[in-house]
Amino acid sequence: MTKTDETDPIRHRIMIMSGKGGVGKTTVAVNLALRLVESRKNTGLLDADITGPNIPKMLHIEDELPSADEEMLIPVYLPLGCDHGLSVMSMAFMIEKDAAVPWHGQLRTDFIRQFVEGIRWDWMDALDYLLIDLPPGTGDEPMSIAELMDVDGVIIVTTPQDVALLDTRKAINMARYLEIPVIGIIENMSGFVCPHCGCEIDLFGKGGGERVAKEMGVPFLGSVPLDPLVVRSGDSGIPFVLEINSATARSFEAIVDRMDEVMKGMKSKTPLS
Amino acid sequence: MTKTDETDPIRHRIMIMSGKGGVGKTTVAVNLALRLVESRKNTGLLDADITGPNIPKMLHIEDELPSADEEMLIPVYLPLGCDHGLSVMSMAFMIEKDAAVPWHGQLRTDFIRQFVEGIRWDWMDALDYLLIDLPPGTGDEPMSIAELMDVDGVIIVTTPQDVALLDTRKAINMARYLEIPVIGIIENMSGFVCPHCGCEIDLFGKGGGERVAKEMGVPFLGSVPLDPLVVRSGDSGIPFVLEINSATARSFEAIVDRMDEVMKGMKSKTPLS
């Protein structure tokens, strides 16, 4: 569903999903968003994970609160330079810290719907990109949110080992079932080099994401190496794309370039009618 | 809810849950079950994850099919010695490979309920332990399954980094909300030693699980070190507790001992009425 409405205040909506939890979907979403901001795109980041909304912690804005304007929520703005920054909205701002949301089924979906529909993303300016960080996996909740939103496509994050790839195939099939184009696969925690001796350690392996992309006929966007600094920067709230000129940071540049290419290709395939 | 019914064909039911995915909950469940079998307990393992049921792949029994007896399912039996083995039932046996289950809400819960209630665990003998591997996280699905089952308690698996611990607090609070005793916390991927140079690498950190246990007033059952062999044995279907005499394998011995202690303590606290 490629956007054609010129009055839409959001030009591109992209969902970030994963076949299973713990593959670094949120870390990838945060760093993609930061890379987009760095390349001067107006970018919003929606943390749509009602169960484990961790983006505010990763960005060190967990004590911020969104403001409101005529019953619409205004995102929290994270300035990243003189004239650019990232607009962030998260379920975490709505839910008491350490509390699990005890609602079932429809009540849960209604809450999510109200939340995602009640955000004024263009509070300052129209957005070039809105990245939506879905809950992990292919369960009821990510599926319900995916159905709620009219997106350009989905990016699927995986780690290289077989068990994660099994779930990644499910994620691709879920996207197809929901008729959401797959923009591509990102392999996270790809390869690992000991920071002491420089030897490569075969922790989660390498290359599985590209193999699955080929096998399932979807684009491969690139790999992000496993870096202990990433874990620590996620915990401390320092986004590593901007702070550290590492192989990990550079990998996001290449991934965003590839994503742009794929999305241009998707557009040209849109029927003229 | 400690069992007192002497005719119950399952003596102890223990749920394994996590605040988020990717912390190795399933790997821990599989290895706890194998350690229990090794210590001559009749043990069953229920893979209750409808979205990403990976236990059959980890145990290399993905092509097996459960048999049936008068509309009840008979678990797949994995022999581990002359006279002992593990009874396994998984959602994966019921669902087409690579397919995501597209059902929502009540339909999903009904399917899970029928499944978990329709298994003849005592097809051979009464069980000493049934371990139930819940879907990850504290969302609708794990909560619904937890509510369905009358268990002795829950074990919560976490990794050491802050973001995982944030979700672990939610998991403890969810267990309390559902009035399920917390048997304890296991810290997985705890510390990491380079297999080439032997230096410790600060990947996910160490000690966070014990800290959270203390802070929330629940028992700490022990740590499982991060070992590349674990990832590979999970992929290849070789359970590493039995195959490899590693620090990781030994850690499960200590954890099961501690679990026994805690559960004995829980029993003695049961009111006499």
Side-chain angles (χ1 to χ4, degrees):
Chain A
M1 279 165 283
T2 309
K3 294 279 157 314
T4 47
D5 181 3
E6 290 297 323
T7 64
D8 189 331
I10 303 172
R11 283 186 55 203
H12 298 294
R13 288 175 178 81
I14 300 171
M15 283 194 305
I16 318 290
M17 66 177 289
S18 64
K20 68 188 286 289
V23 300
K25 176 181 56 54
T26 299
T27 306
V28 167
V30 164
N31 281 283
L32 277 181
L34 292 170
R35 174 64 201 155
L36 285 167
V37 171
E38 216 186 16
S39 56
R40 302 283 158 152
K41 308 288 185 193
N42 278 325
T43 306
L45 179 59
L46 172 60
D47 182 2
D49 188 352
I50 183 175
T51 305
N54 292 332
I55 285 180
K57 178 157 186 78
M58 282 196 188
L59 288 171
H60 224 359
I61 51 171
E62 64 225 285
D63 297 324
E64 304 280 323
L65 270 183
S67 49
D69 174 22
E70 292 174 18
E71 304 204 356
M72 295 285 277
L73 290 167
I74 307 289
V76 169
Y77 184 72
L78 183 73
L80 295 166
C82 304
D83 61 352
H84 60 301
L86 179 66
S87 293
V88 183
M89 185 54 79
S90 169
M91 287 279 181
F93 298 136
M94 310 286 118
I95 303 166
E96 207 187 330
K97 201 182 153 215
D98 296 345
V101 176
W103 308 328
H104 283 295
Q106 198 54 44
L107 211 64
R108 221 173 162 96
T109 315
D110 288 347
F111 175 76
I112 296 169
R113 181 193 303 263
Q114 273 187 27
F115 175 70
V116 300
E117 289 177 354
I119 304 167
R120 179 155 295 151
W121 285 108
D122 60 337
W123 63 285
M124 194 160 64
D125 226 332
L127 283 189
D128 296 307
Y129 288 94
L130 174 63
L131 301 188
I132 301 142
D133 186 30
L134 281 187
T138 51
D140 196 341
E141 212 162 283
M143 195 166 51
S144 298
I145 301 173
E147 282 171 343
L148 280 181
M149 308 202 88
D150 184 26
V151 295
D152 295 66
V154 63
I155 290 174
I156 298 169
V157 182
T158 186
T159 45
Q161 77 273 34
D162 285 356
V163 168
L165 298 175
L166 183 74
D167 293 330
T168 298
R169 289 189 199 96
K170 280 181 205 267
I172 297 171
N173 284 330
M174 183 174 102
R176 287 178 174 160
Y177 173 81
L178 298 175
E179 298 181 4
I180 301 170
V182 177
I183 297 170
I185 289 181
I186 295 174
E187 177 172 299
N188 193 30
M189 308 191 195
S190 176
F192 181 47
V193 171
C194 173
H196 302 291
C197 67
C199 291
E200 186 141 345
I201 303 172
D202 187 14
L203 189 58
F204 296 115
K206 203 174 179 178
E210 190 161 9
R211 227 164 41 235
V212 165
K214 211 169 201 173
E215 176 198 315
M216 302 284 286
V218 298
F220 181 67
L221 299 183
S223 310
V224 183
L226 183 60
D227 183 341
L229 281 174
V230 176
V231 181
R232 260 170 290 157
S233 66
D235 273 357
S236 69
I238 303 162
F240 64 91
V241 156
L242 297 178
E243 296 296 327
I244 303 155
N245 184 24
S246 63
T248 306
R250 282 193 304 275
S251 67
F252 280 99
E253 289 183 36
I255 287 170
V256 166
D257 290 348
R258 180 85 186 101
M259 180 186 94
D260 268 347
E261 267 174 51
V262 171
M263 290 183 68
K264 275 178 198 144
M266 279 166 53
K267 258 194 190 149
S268 64
K269 272 186 272 175
T270 308
L272 290 170
S273 67
Chain B
M1 280 164 280
T2 310
K3 295 279 158 316
T4 47
D5 181 1
E6 290 298 321
T7 62
D8 189 332
I10 303 172
R11 283 186 56 202
H12 298 295
R13 288 175 177 81
I14 299 171
M15 283 192 309
I16 318 290
M17 67 177 286
S18 64
K20 69 188 284 292
V23 299
K25 176 182 55 57
T26 300
T27 306
V28 167
V30 164
N31 281 282
L32 277 182
L34 292 170
R35 175 62 201 155
L36 285 167
V37 171
E38 217 188 13
S39 55
R40 303 282 158 154
K41 307 288 185 194
N42 278 325
T43 306
L45 180 58
L46 172 61
D47 183 3
D49 188 353
I50 184 175
T51 305
N54 292 332
I55 285 180
K57 180 159 184 75
M58 282 197 189
L59 288 171
H60 224 359
I61 51 172
E62 64 224 287
D63 297 323
E64 304 280 324
L65 271 184
S67 48
D69 174 21
E70 293 175 17
E71 306 204 357
M72 295 285 276
L73 289 166
I74 307 289
V76 169
Y77 184 72
L78 184 73
L80 296 165
C82 305
D83 60 352
H84 60 301
L86 180 66
S87 293
V88 184
M89 185 54 80
S90 169
M91 287 280 183
F93 297 135
M94 311 285 118
I95 302 167
E96 206 187 332
K97 201 183 152 215
D98 296 345
V101 176
W103 309 328
H104 282 298
Q106 197 56 43
L107 211 62
R108 222 173 160 95
T109 315
D110 288 347
F111 175 75
I112 295 169
R113 181 193 302 263
Q114 274 187 25
F115 175 70
V116 301
E117 288 177 354
I119 304 167
R120 178 155 296 151
W121 286 107
D122 60 336
W123 62 284
M124 196 161 61
D125 227 332
L127 284 188
D128 295 308
Y129 288 94
L130 174 63
L131 301 188
I132 301 142
D133 187 30
L134 282 186
T138 50
D140 197 340
E141 212 162 283
M143 196 165 50
S144 298
I145 301 173
E147 282 171 343
L148 280 180
M149 308 202 87
D150 184 27
V151 295
D152 294 67
V154 63
I155 290 174
I156 298 170
V157 183
T158 187
T159 46
Q161 78 272 35
D162 285 356
V163 169
L165 298 175
L166 183 73
D167 294 330
T168 298
R169 289 189 199 95
K170 281 181 204 268
I172 296 171
N173 284 329
M174 183 174 100
R176 287 179 174 160
Y177 174 81
L178 299 174
E179 298 180 3
I180 301 171
V182 177
I183 297 170
I185 289 180
I186 295 174
E187 177 172 299
N188 193 29
M189 308 191 194
S190 175
F192 181 47
V193 172
C194 173
H196 302 292
C197 68
C199 290
E200 185 140 347
I201 303 172
D202 187 13
L203 188 59
F204 296 114
K206 205 176 178 176
E210 190 162 8
R211 226 162 44 234
V212 165
K214 211 169 200 174
E215 176 197 315
M216 301 286 284
V218 299
F220 181 66
L221 299 183
S223 310
V224 182
L226 183 60
D227 184 341
L229 281 174
V230 176
V231 181
R232 260 171 288 158
S233 66
D235 273 357
S236 67
I238 303 161
F240 64 89
V241 156
L242 297 178
E243 295 296 327
I244 304 154
N245 183 24
S246 64
T248 305
R250 282 192 304 275
S251 68
F252 280 98
E253 289 183 34
I255 286 170
V256 166
D257 291 348
R258 180 86 186 99
M259 179 186 96
D260 268 346
E261 266 174 52
V262 172
M263 290 182 68
K264 275 178 198 143
M266 280 166 54
K267 259 195 190 148
S268 65
K269 271 187 270 172
T270 309
L272 288 170
S273 67

